[in-house]
Amino acid sequence: MATTILDRTAPTGGTDRRAPWRSPVGQPAYARPALLVIAVLAAVLYAWGINHSHYHTFYANAVRSMTESWRAFFYGSFDPGNSITLDKLPGFLWPQAISARIFGFHPWAVTLPQVLEGVASLLVLYRVVRRWAGEKAALLAAVAFLLTPVAVGLFRTSVEDPLFTLCVLLAAEATQRAAESGRLRPLVMAGVWVGIGFQSKMLEAWAVLPALAVVYLLSAPVPLRKRLARLGISAVVMFAVSASWMVVVALTPAKDRPYVDGTTNNSAFSMVVGYNFLNRFSSLGISAASTGSISATRGGGGQHGGHDQGPGDGRAEGHGKGQGRGGGAPSPAAMTPGTAQLPDAAPHFGTHDHGSAGDPNGFGGGRSQDGWSKMFGPSLASQTGWLYPFAAVALGCVLLWRRGRPRTDRLRAGFVLWGTWLATYFLVFSAGSVGGHTYYMGVIAVPLAALTGGGLTMLWRAYRTGGRRAWALPGAVAATVAWGAYLTGAFPSFLPWLAPAMGTLGLAAVALLVLARPGGPRRGGRLALAGLGASLVAVLLAPSAWAVQVFNPTYGTSGMGAVGPSGMRGGAHGTGKAPRGGHPKGGFGESDGQLTAAQRKLLDYTTAHQGSAAYAFATNGWSNASPYILAAGTHVLALGGFSGQVPFPTEAGFRQLVNAGQVRYVLLGQGRGTGAAFGGGGGNGTTSTSRITDWVRSACTRVPAAAYGGAQAPAAATAREGGGAQTLYRCAPVR
């Protein structure tokens, strides 16, 4: 009789399971543990203080509305009544709204998706660089990305760019797989990811296409005809995914959906192409009116309110969840005209992206962030550009050294991918309007980190080989340290020891590398490794000093994604100072979602007397409506959209709402960060909102403040704080 002896050490079928902290077969043992440590550090940096975060006010209103109804969720409605959308595609808010539906509407719940998107972005970056240049390069790229200040600020901020950055990274990863294998499926997936990125950041997502197309055309191991055909198929898929939301909106009758903000013709295509793209490039000479949109260089958040008196200061502090009515009020979108004539003499105040404006120090359209040199200015470069010299030297050297290699050379293809990506977005931001929106730079931090990681490994190999190429590494280190010392000098009150420390470390690193180079006077492996270590510390010291300011309550994070001394508090969690070249507060404002006592009294009064009206009240400016939406999900009709310039509703349409009993009360006042230049006039009759305001004051009855326990706003309140008097009016139907 045969006897079978079981070997307990042999595999029992299937694949062996390995612990998640152990590196896969074929990778160094340190790779996976090091990556996990980096990912945990990223999560800490991105999530630090999330429990004390504030709402990014304008977008948070939409998130609150999106939790009230699925109709508002799909359209990205600013208000729970579904009267008007945001002036952006709503895709980037969908994760935030889902999080708020799961965990409740809290500032941390709105911020949490960006934290997760940030950690995912870092992991995808590691994956792409590892496949291209190896584990060491990937870990270096992940560390460089982790310590880039704008990346830390970006993934703590509830804006469009975190999801957009993740999507274009996933598109790069899919394109890389397609370029290596020549297969169609990953290339189609790249098109899908770009299309999803479009739902977050609109046409800016398409700026990555040159990099993806070039690397596939250059290196895919299939004939040219197939490469072109497959790129065409991927482009069709990308366009279909990109345009899907706009097509649905275009095919939906205006009476059955919210009005599209930012436009004069209620068209999603005008909002995306005109308001959010063509209007950004003033050098094109294309008028906003010709694109069916309003000028994208206006913005603020409210209306000029005259001398009305009202219940409070317009601020929203604390936290409250409140209750909303859930359903959508009948949309008055169909009551708006096809076109509107807007004044041409409005002053220029930077971009429309919900930031402060006109600051001479470079925030909100100031001169230091205008023109082709803006990317090298301290306010932006201190957030994202510390590694400019190193990335440039590495890119130039490797492309030069790899010339003559086979077309499918993987290493060169990777440098072409990141170099084209960096050059394209660099040119786009240099030509377009940035206006203090530091979080735009997250998509610049990605190729800089990749080029630094991959470039350092290549320069190190060249250094160890010897010859003239050995001088590239010490040259790159010297240039990067000198550039970093220059940027640090723009903030003399911030860590005065930093620039001398960088200089000392840089000199030591370069000296060690020169002495230890092959053929040098002190050739030796340990000395060279010491020079490499000193180089890494010298190059990353300054960005690290900025990044860790998220732990410092004196600085922290701005609502525009800036970290450290060039960031100011403005809607995200954190505070900051503004030394020379820094950012002042953003125009979003901040709120943690609780009404003041005066605002609560006014809301109680209007809801008690609302009757069958669709809205508790209407108000001239989104910032006047914001506290009530955030705190209670109140159906408030905000006139004029974000900028106050949108012809929604028209005066005739508003009167029809009043006559139909849909609007009974109107709250007039000046919202935070507003004025005639921002809100479309203070009663001069040039916009629909100002005409409605004039009509309300003349035709409606002023409600005494005593009726709802209101009081005149404090005289010391400023517009930035939500100051400005407010008056409540009751409008009766005209029989």
Side-chain angles (χ1 to χ4, degrees):
M1 183 169 80
T3 302
T4 302
I5 300 176
L6 296 178
D7 183 1
R8 296 181 181 275
T9 64
T12 58
T15 58
D16 290 336
R17 291 186 178 182
R18 60 176 172 79
W21 57 84
R22 295 187 181 277
S23 298
V25 176
Q27 295 185 21
Y30 61 80
R32 180 59 58 86
L35 176 62
L36 293 177
V37 170
I38 295 170
V40 169
L41 290 176
V44 172
L45 285 173
Y46 303 159
W48 186 262
I50 191 175
N51 56 318
H52 300 299
S53 59
H54 293 273
Y55 293 120
H56 213 269
T57 312
F58 182 71
Y59 292 150
N61 288 285
V63 174
R64 178 58 193 259
S65 300
M66 293 162 77
T67 64
E68 297 291 324
S69 76
W70 290 109
R71 183 168 176 242
F73 179 91
F74 176 77
Y75 288 111
S77 300
F78 169 78
D79 61 300
N82 290 298
S83 61
I84 191 168
T85 70
L86 291 179
D87 57 355
K88 301 284 187 295
L89 293 186
F92 75 100
L93 292 179
W94 288 336
Q96 298 179 31
I98 291 173
S99 176
R101 281 178 174 266
I102 295 173
F103 301 109
F105 185 68
H106 312 286
W108 66 264
V110 175
T111 307
L112 179 62
Q114 286 68 246
V115 175
L116 300 178
E117 289 158 6
V119 175
S121 296
L122 185 143
L123 295 176
V124 174
L125 175 64
Y126 171 85
R127 179 183 175 90
V128 176
V129 177
R130 180 184 61 79
R131 181 182 285 118
W132 156 53
E135 289 79 10
K136 294 178 182 178
L139 290 172
L140 289 170
V143 170
F145 188 71
L146 170 70
L147 298 178
T148 301
V150 71
V152 177
L154 169 64
F155 297 116
R156 296 164 55 85
T157 307
S158 304
V159 290
E160 312 98 310
D161 292 68
L163 179 59
F164 157 64
T165 302
L166 174 59
C167 287
V168 290
L169 267 167
L170 288 167
E173 192 272 340
T175 302
Q176 183 187 58
R177 288 189 284 113
E180 291 177 1
S181 65
R183 294 188 298 122
L184 174 62
R185 183 176 178 180
L187 194 62
V188 170
M189 281 306 304
V192 171
W193 286 121
V194 173
I196 297 174
F198 187 97
Q199 300 301 326
S200 175
K201 196 64 175 174
M202 296 166 289
L203 285 163
E204 189 177 326
W206 286 6
V208 78
L209 294 178
L212 305 185
V214 166
V215 76
Y216 184 79
L217 284 174
L218 177 68
S219 62
V222 293
L224 178 61
R225 181 175 297 179
K226 283 189 175 181
R227 280 177 271 156
L228 292 173
R230 291 175 179 178
L231 278 176
I233 295 172
S234 179
V236 170
V237 172
M238 178 214 66
F239 185 82
V241 177
S242 298
S244 57
W245 187 88
M246 296 186 293
V247 170
V248 172
V249 172
L251 295 177
T252 304
K255 63 182 178 61
D256 296 327
R257 61 170 173 82
Y259 187 91
V260 180
D261 196 7
T263 70
T264 59
N265 59 4
N266 198 13
S267 166
F269 289 92
S270 294
M271 182 263 284
V272 171
V273 179
Y275 180 72
N276 281 296
F277 179 65
L278 295 177
N279 292 352
R280 298 296 190 94
F281 300 91
S282 57
S283 59
L284 297 177
I286 299 176
S287 68
S290 66
T291 65
S293 62
I294 66 167
S295 174
T297 57
R298 303 172 190 167
Q303 300 297 322
H304 189 284
H307 302 285
D308 297 309
Q309 300 174 357
D313 62 1
R315 289 181 290 177
E317 301 172 352
H319 170 74
K321 183 177 180 181
Q323 298 178 350
R325 297 184 299 163
S331 172
M335 304 174 188
T336 57
T339 59
Q341 298 296 324
L342 299 176
D344 295 326
H348 176 66
F349 285 96
T351 71
H352 75 294
D353 269 326
H354 323 136
S356 69
D359 177 70
N361 293 323
F363 187 76
R367 292 183 179 180
S368 70
Q369 289 191 5
D370 286 341
W372 289 89
S373 63
K374 69 168 74 73
M375 299 294 291
F376 298 99
S379 57
L380 288 180
S382 66
Q383 297 297 313
T384 192
W386 298 98
L387 300 175
Y388 283 167
F390 200 99
V393 171
L395 178 62
C397 287
V398 173
L399 291 181
L400 180 65
W401 297 342
R402 306 294 290 190
R403 70 187 188 280
R405 298 277 179 155
R407 178 181 62 82
T408 55
D409 180 51
R410 177 189 299 182
L411 194 58
R412 182 180 58 191
F415 278 95
V416 169
L417 168 68
W418 301 117
T420 307
W421 178 327
L422 178 61
T424 303
Y425 279 104
F426 206 92
L427 290 173
V428 167
F429 292 139
S430 296
S433 180
V434 175
H437 298 86
T438 310
Y439 55 80
Y440 288 6
M441 300 298 110
V443 75
I444 294 287
V446 170
L448 285 174
L451 289 171
T452 298
L456 181 57
T457 57
M458 289 298 297
L459 295 183
W460 176 247
R461 291 176 194 169
Y463 173 81
R464 298 305 298 269
T465 302
R468 290 183 298 176
R469 294 183 179 182
W471 291 98
L473 179 58
V477 171
T480 305
V481 171
W483 168 248
Y486 163 76
L487 290 179
T488 304
F491 305 91
S493 62
F494 174 69
L495 302 181
W497 55 265
L498 187 56
M502 289 179 60
T504 302
L505 283 169
L507 286 174
V510 171
L512 289 172
L513 291 174
V514 171
L515 290 174
R517 78 186 191 282
R522 297 288 300 275
R523 178 179 178 179
R526 291 184 178 180
L527 199 62
L529 288 175
L532 178 63
S535 298
L536 284 171
V537 175
V539 166
L540 297 176
L541 180 61
S544 302
W546 254 255
V548 298
Q549 295 309 308
V550 295
F551 305 118
N552 185 351
T554 304
Y555 291 100
T557 312
S558 78
M560 294 298 155
V563 175
S566 53
M568 282 294 290
R569 190 176 185 177
H573 38 289
T575 61
K577 293 181 179 179
R580 177 165 55 94
H583 301 316
K585 285 192 177 181
F588 270 109
E590 63 177 30
S591 170
D592 44 15
Q594 188 177 49
L595 295 174
T596 64
Q599 290 167 342
R600 173 58 64 183
K601 291 177 181 178
L602 182 139
L603 179 59
D604 291 343
Y605 177 85
T606 55
T607 53
H609 295 81
Q610 181 176 349
S612 61
Y615 301 95
F617 58 88
T619 187
N620 58 338
W622 70 264
S623 64
N624 291 331
S626 175
Y628 305 94
I629 295 175
L630 289 179
T634 307
H635 288 221
V636 180
L637 176 62
L639 309 178
F642 166 72
S643 66
Q645 302 286 335
V646 173
F648 170 80
T650 61
E651 182 184 356
F654 183 79
R655 291 191 186 190
Q656 185 175 344
L657 288 173
V658 172
N659 290 334
Q662 299 298 295
V663 174
R664 290 187 177 183
Y665 291 95
V666 181
L667 180 66
L668 298 182
Q670 179 170 303
R672 176 172 49 235
T674 64
F678 293 88
N684 58 7
T686 58
T687 66
S688 293
T689 301
S690 58
R691 287 191 288 271
I692 291 171
T693 299
D694 291 340
W695 178 81
V696 168
R697 287 175 177 148
S698 63
C700 300
T701 303
R702 185 170 179 169
V703 179
Y708 49 87
Q712 184 173 347
T718 65
R720 177 182 59 79
E721 296 169 333
Q726 295 178 321
T727 299
L728 185 67
Y729 291 86
R730 177 181 174 86
C731 299
V734 177
R735 302 300 181 186

